[in-house]
Amino acid sequence: MYQTVKGTYDVLPDQYEKRKRLKDLFKDVIECYGYRLMETPVFEYAGVFQKENDTSDMVTKEMYTFSPNEKDVLTLRPEGTAGVIRSVVQNKLYGNNELPLKLGYIGEMFRHERPQKGRQRQFTQCGIENIGDKSPIIDAEIIALAYNFIDMAGLENVKVLINTLGDNESRVAYTKALKEYFTPLKDQLCFDCQNRLEKNPLRILDCKVDHELDIIKNAPKMSDYLTDSAKAYFEKVKAYLDACGIPYIVDDKLVRGLDYYTDTVFELVSTSENAGAQSTVLAGGRYDNLVKEMGGPELSGIGFACGLERLTMMVEEENEMTNLDLPCDFYIIDMSKGSDYAFKVSEVLRRNLFNVDLNVYDRSMKAQFKSADRRNAKNIIIIGEDEVNNSSLTIKNSETKEQVTIKFEELDAYLESLGE
């Protein structure tokens, strides 16, 4: 018997409805902030994701990269931001639209990592990118959007972690300080961090292996190497968050998992006991150089991404999300003994975008009423031989218990009256 590939999963109907509810909520929330959804291909040229001296685990260990011919090297997308930026540059969206660009996406991503609770090799990300201007108020607005989305999704035990990685001048000074600090301690670092020491020592602070070591905890802090302008920028971000009542904690070890971030970075983390090691719900930050690296102009950007599987799991654990059947608008009890009339009625209803359940089994009326009750049907249509002979139908409202009999040709008018 065939099984799903390790790190993949089937989304069964009940789970699909729960995920759909969160996708719809995400779309509604970002639209309130002026964002529009877009889609990029599931695979791109590898260079879209592989940047020079990138030491992130995603790039060095987790990407699904393949060559369909001797010329091309392709990668299944491991995250959403790079593909969106590639599309912005390729289609010159910055020249055809008012800035900042406000773009959102919902799509499948792929990373070859160890599958565990809330983390799979194929997963769905919801994310946004704000591209154009660089401003503390935009940073705060993005964090507020993220916080509101997670709050409206039903997660209560969440904290907001923020930090600044500083401007380019700050990062140069901090990188030098980290190299000087870690070089004498190199032998105490894991193999990956020994390589990171030369290419990007900032990544050492985000190491999953060494993060509990005292030498990591005692490492120099970014806040000591910020330029005055970088400090002022971050203070304004915090002031805007304070103004709109978004609770946050400054975490000076927060550097994020990708190398292109600058200035403001943030994570929303679950404090629930059930979250375990996979406590990050949503994460993002600002990137100053990515658009230019992709061949575009000097435009700054900021965004975030949220793993839908992990969010669904956490919402279920906190709120005991019940199984979500689609609401049944009409349940048709067919006692006409083989007539096609009930089917004809059901198709009229469905063409008017009503959810319809048509009994297709030879069962008693009592059994069919029970089925209608289990489906929480709002209305029940009863069709027997009299209704077939008279081209009529009897409709019973399950809540008010009111019952009417109408002619088939009156059905469209009746349906219109329901929306009034």
Side-chain angles (χ1 to χ4, degrees):
M1 183 175 66
Y2 291 109
Q3 304 285 324
T4 53
V5 177
K6 184 178 181 181
T8 66
Y9 54 92
D10 296 315
V11 182
L12 301 180
D14 285 341
Q15 195 70 8
Y16 185 92
E17 290 303 320
K18 296 169 185 177
R19 288 159 55 94
K20 181 178 182 298
R21 187 165 74 177
L22 292 174
K23 286 181 181 180
D24 290 344
L25 174 64
F26 174 77
K27 181 176 181 292
D28 290 343
V29 172
I30 69 171
E31 283 183 350
C32 291
Y33 286 79
Y35 287 79
R36 301 170 64 193
L37 287 174
M38 64 176 291
E39 294 183 4
T40 60
V42 174
F43 56 90
E44 302 259 8
Y45 289 110
V48 170
F49 306 104
Q50 293 174 335
K51 298 294 180 287
E52 186 178 359
N53 293 326
D54 195 326
T55 59
S56 65
D57 287 346
M58 186 197 78
V59 170
T60 59
K61 299 179 181 180
E62 298 171 356
M63 297 205 310
Y64 284 96
T65 298
F66 59 99
S67 297
N69 52 50
E70 295 181 358
K71 177 184 177 182
D72 299 323
V73 181
L74 308 178
T75 296
L76 292 177
R77 62 184 181 196
E79 55 97 10
T81 299
V84 171
I85 300 303
R86 188 270 313 148
S87 179
V88 167
V89 174
Q90 178 180 339
N91 295 290
K92 293 182 171 56
L93 297 184
Y94 48 81
N96 303 325
N97 297 275
E98 184 177 349
L99 297 179
L101 296 172
K102 294 185 174 184
L103 306 171
Y105 61 87
I106 303 173
E108 302 305 308
M109 311 293 163
F110 304 86
R111 295 187 189 181
H112 191 275
E113 54 185 343
R114 183 172 64 86
Q116 50 191 297
K117 181 181 179 183
R119 186 188 291 270
Q120 299 293 332
R121 290 175 176 172
Q122 176 182 331
F123 58 99
T124 306
Q125 264 190 1
C126 304
I128 63 168
E129 310 297 340
N130 185 303
I131 303 162
D133 298 329
K134 180 177 181 179
S135 167
I137 195 170
I138 294 178
D139 295 15
E141 181 183 273
I142 294 287
I143 296 172
L145 191 165
Y147 180 81
N148 290 334
F149 167 57
I150 296 302
D151 181 60
M152 293 171 68
L155 279 189
E156 298 178 356
N157 303 311
V158 173
K159 60 182 178 181
V160 180
L161 305 180
I162 65 172
N163 192 25
T164 178
L165 303 182
D167 51 22
N168 288 332
E169 184 180 345
S170 303
R171 287 169 67 90
V172 168
Y174 188 46
T175 297
K176 180 181 178 181
L178 288 176
K179 281 186 177 181
E180 292 176 352
Y181 172 78
F182 281 118
T183 296
L185 308 170
K186 183 176 180 179
D187 292 342
Q188 299 182 44
L189 299 173
C190 71
F191 176 78
D192 288 334
C193 283
Q194 290 180 18
N195 291 330
R196 291 165 180 154
L197 180 58
E198 296 304 319
K199 294 182 178 180
N200 187 356
L202 196 66
R203 301 286 312 120
I204 297 174
L205 304 179
D206 193 45
C207 178
K208 298 180 178 65
V209 177
D210 292 343
H211 68 282
E212 290 296 333
L213 295 179
D214 287 339
I215 59 172
I216 303 295
K217 296 177 180 178
N218 297 327
K221 293 179 170 54
M222 182 75 201
S223 56
D224 295 331
Y225 296 87
L226 294 175
T227 62
D228 290 341
S229 59
K231 287 180 182 178
Y233 186 94
F234 191 49
E235 289 301 317
K236 288 182 180 179
V237 173
K238 292 190 290 183
Y240 282 119
L241 292 176
D242 291 336
C244 60
I246 302 296
Y248 61 86
I249 299 170
V250 177
D251 181 355
D252 56 21
K253 293 293 190 295
L254 178 63
V255 298
R256 296 295 303 119
L258 298 172
D259 283 3
Y260 51 64
Y261 286 114
T262 58
D263 285 290
T264 309
V265 291
F266 61 94
E267 290 186 359
L268 272 66
V269 178
S270 172
T271 58
S272 170
E273 295 180 358
N274 297 323
Q278 303 304 321
S279 59
T280 301
V281 186
L282 179 154
R286 178 163 288 284
Y287 42 88
D288 278 347
N289 307 311
L290 191 55
V291 177
K292 186 177 181 180
E293 288 179 4
M294 289 281 192
E298 290 191 12
L299 295 175
S300 186
I302 183 172
F304 68 72
C306 174
L308 190 64
E309 289 78 6
R310 192 180 301 178
L311 177 60
T312 304
M313 177 190 72
M314 290 179 173
V315 172
E316 282 185 302
E317 289 176 344
E318 282 199 17
N319 297 285
E320 299 181 356
M321 290 174 71
T322 56
N323 291 340
L324 299 175
D325 289 324
L326 286 173
C328 180
D329 296 309
F330 291 93
Y331 187 98
I332 300 179
I333 294 179
D334 182 12
M335 303 299 295
S336 62
K337 299 181 179 180
S339 166
D340 59 7
Y341 180 62
F343 178 72
K344 179 181 177 181
V345 171
S346 71
E347 287 304 295
V348 171
L349 294 169
R350 287 165 177 154
R351 282 198 297 270
N352 282 275
L353 299 181
F354 287 100
N355 182 285
V356 180
D357 201 339
L358 170 62
N359 172 67
V360 296
Y361 301 104
D362 184 14
R363 300 187 298 160
S364 68
M365 182 176 287
K366 181 179 180 180
Q368 293 186 54
F369 266 112
K370 286 184 178 179
S371 292
D373 186 56
R374 283 193 293 270
R375 288 282 280 113
N376 294 318
K378 298 177 183 178
N379 301 279
I380 298 173
I381 295 178
I382 303 169
I383 295 178
E385 292 186 18
D386 288 344
E387 281 78 13
V388 173
N389 294 333
N390 298 323
S391 292
S392 63
L393 52 152
T394 300
I395 306 174
K396 181 178 181 180
N397 185 297
S398 299
E399 183 177 354
T400 65
K401 308 303 181 184
E402 293 180 359
Q403 184 170 301
V404 296
T405 299
I406 63 173
K407 302 293 286 185
F408 177 77
E409 57 265 26
E410 298 172 338
L411 181 54
D412 283 336
Y414 175 82
L415 297 177
E416 288 182 9
S417 72
L418 295 179
E420 296 177 352

